[in-house]
Amino acid sequence: MTTYRDRTAAGAQLADRLTALIGDPDVVVLGLVRGGVPVAAAVAHRLRAPLDVLVVRKLGVPWAPEVAFGAIGPGGVQVRNEIPASGLEPGQIDEVVRAESAELQRREGLYRAGRAPLDLRGCVAVIVDDGLATGATARAAVGVARELGARRVIVAVPVGSVPAYEALVGVADEVICAQRPADFGAVSRYYEDFHEVPDAEVVDVLQAQG
């Protein structure tokens, strides 16, 4: 088991597994907000590819928020998991969508200040996070990236649970997971520094990348 010094160090090691993408003009590296952004910045630097953020909000069942019935992304993109969604009334769905849309708009406004709307048409989208516990957010992000026009979607993470990895293999075009320990536990176990990434750090990373 490898323990990473911090998210930047994890991204540098993860980038070693993505070198085949160096020089591909269609590649866009997308950090999942917020913890995935420092990892993605290191990957984008190594691949000499543009860095952007993908703001995805899971739509949780009202009485069990950890169970996602869908997700929303930029530009009004919405993906649904029809099995849990079918058990909800339209009003319940609308209430959750309204709440999560407000938070998505807040984050988009903050992170995209001065940046063009995210457009992935024809792109190879490399979705990066700091780890996969359940993989729910990453699965939602894959769906959002496809709705935004990505022609190929790759998920890349420094560490993840075996079930999350296996679930993503059936959704993304490629999944690169540097470590898949059998006794996974939690993502934080694999980092010496796993501080909560504030909005200001995300903004600083994006500004530094131009």
Side-chain angles (χ1 to χ4, degrees):
M1 182 186 81
T2 298
T3 300
Y4 303 108
R5 184 181 69 250
D6 54 22
R7 290 178 175 90
T8 299
Q13 292 190 42
L14 180 61
D16 289 340
R17 297 170 178 260
L18 294 161
T19 53
L21 298 175
I22 293 175
D24 187 334
D26 294 334
V27 169
V28 176
V29 179
L30 301 170
L32 288 185
V33 174
R34 287 175 293 203
V37 175
V39 185
V43 170
H45 177 76
R46 177 70 182 280
L47 300 187
R48 300 192 293 274
L51 169 70
D52 213 318
V53 292
L54 183 55
V55 182
V56 174
R57 299 295 298 175
K58 286 186 291 185
L59 302 174
V61 172
W63 55 88
E66 71 280 2
V67 178
F69 68 83
I72 55 174
V77 169
Q78 190 172 144
V79 294
R80 291 281 181 89
N81 182 343
E82 292 302 333
I83 294 177
S86 64
L88 300 176
E89 297 293 333
Q92 293 173 316
I93 291 175
D94 291 343
E95 185 175 347
V96 174
V97 170
R98 275 196 301 271
E100 295 300 343
S101 293
E103 177 60 15
L104 185 142
Q105 289 171 9
R106 183 193 74 81
R107 293 192 181 194
E108 278 278 292
L110 179 63
Y111 305 146
R112 304 212 72 77
R115 301 169 72 88
L118 188 60
D119 184 356
L120 300 179
R121 286 177 293 183
C123 291
V124 176
V126 182
I127 297 172
V128 178
D129 206 353
D130 52 16
L132 299 173
T134 67
T137 300
R139 289 197 301 273
V142 171
V144 169
R146 293 200 192 282
E147 289 292 326
L148 289 171
R151 66 174 173 82
R152 186 163 181 246
V153 181
I154 300 169
V155 175
V157 294
V159 64
S161 69
V162 173
Y165 169 81
E166 291 176 345
L168 274 165
V169 165
V171 175
D173 295 300
E174 184 177 357
V175 182
I176 296 170
C177 184
Q179 297 188 74
R180 300 192 297 276
D183 57 340
F184 178 75
V187 174
S188 58
R189 288 181 59 192
Y190 305 92
Y191 289 85
E192 295 174 15
D193 175 2
F194 196 69
H195 67 276
E196 184 174 344
V197 176
D199 286 334
E201 184 174 341
V202 174
V203 172
D204 288 346
V205 168
L206 291 172
Q207 289 177 343
Q209 293 283 325

